Amino acid sequence: DFIYMNKNRSYNDNSFPFVTFSEKSPSLLKRYQTMPYRQYIANPTAAIATDIDIFVSNMDSVKAKAQYICQIENMTSEWTFEHKSDMFDIEPYTTNGVLKENVSFKNFLFDMEEKKDTVSYLITHIINVEESSSEIKGDTLHGIQSFRNYYAYDDGTPEKGYGVVPGESCFASQYNISVSDTLCGVYLLFNRTLNDANYDFFDIVVWNDNHGEPGNEFYRLKNQRPIWDDEEIYKFAYYPFDKILKVNGTIYIGIMQHSKESINIGFDTSNDNSQYNFYDV
């Protein structure tokens, strides 16, 4: 969001010479926001998104002709990639709202360095406005695509909270492990509630796969409680397992609540991954 302040303005002065991105930088992974690098290089074509949606707003009162550019660079090497779209028209926001532009990334892959464990890429999105069509200024948006030692469906910010009822209910997320790996624990973010009303016991459970749904339980870490950080509102808490699990293929990781009230785990509404979420009440 931005606020335009100036003198001699009126009620009808509702435009500004600016074409801007109106959403955050999207993940270039098909399924996850973050995933382990060794899992990516084991099956890169299955991991990469073939297209992404870019949302752009033209805050001026006249149409603009623009070009979208995406630049990707490995933050620890000299590898780079650039994509340029054809020129396209953007109508004013006041008449047409936000433009949703679908960008194809066919045949794109991040580089693969088998000796690396973690890699990060700087993603730069650019909107260039053709000078002959308008005096509008363009915009630049930055994002980071990280490969770490964990999977994450969310972007780290919970817009809402999620839980199931009654007590003994379960919910879980599905993960596909391309090559054999080890599971040592999970990071969880619980929303802080009034009087810490959700400070209740839960079990962390891992299930195997049964035809696309959670099957038999093969690990349980009992009697855990939410952990918060008084200095950082969106800090994830790490729950280490008491033994290291060997995993491969499809697994499910989730929670069984002890109490009858919602446990209020962080829920990222900006990324719809409902097809990978399961619950049993």
Side-chain angles (χ1 to χ4, degrees), residues 18-26 52-56 68-71 122-127 138-144:
F18 190 37
V19 171
T20 176
F21 295 103
S22 59
E23 296 282 349
K24 64 183 183 349
S25 176
I52 60 173
D53 290 326
I54 295 295
F55 297 86
V56 183
Y68 167 74
I69 301 172
C70 181
Q71 298 172 343
L122 175 64
I123 316 293
T124 304
H125 307 272
I126 302 168
I127 285 288
D139 196 14
T140 301
L141 173 69
H142 295 290
I144 301 291

Side-chain angles (χ1 to χ4, degrees), residues 45 50 56 64 84 113 126 189 219 221 232 241 245 263 265:
T45 55
T50 56
V56 183
K84 291 184 177 182
E113 303 178 60
I126 302 168
L189 192 157
Y219 178 78
L221 184 65
E232 186 176 340
F241 291 172
L245 307 179
I263 202 164
I265 195 169

Side-chain angles (χ1 to χ4, degrees), residues 255-275:
I255 285 176
M256 189 197 79
Q257 298 180 184
H258 289 198
S259 68
K260 64 180 180 180
E261 304 296 337
S262 171
I263 202 164
N264 210 314
I265 195 169
F267 180 36
D268 175 16
T269 61
S270 64
N271 294 293
D272 183 3
N273 296 294
S274 54
Q275 68 269 39

Side-chain angles (χ1 to χ4, degrees), residues 7-25:
K7 62 183 180 180
N8 301 323
R9 297 189 64 203
S10 68
Y11 178 82
N12 294 321
D13 182 9
N14 59 2
S15 64
F16 188 80
F18 190 37
V19 171
T20 176
F21 295 103
S22 59
E23 296 282 349
K24 64 183 183 349
S25 176

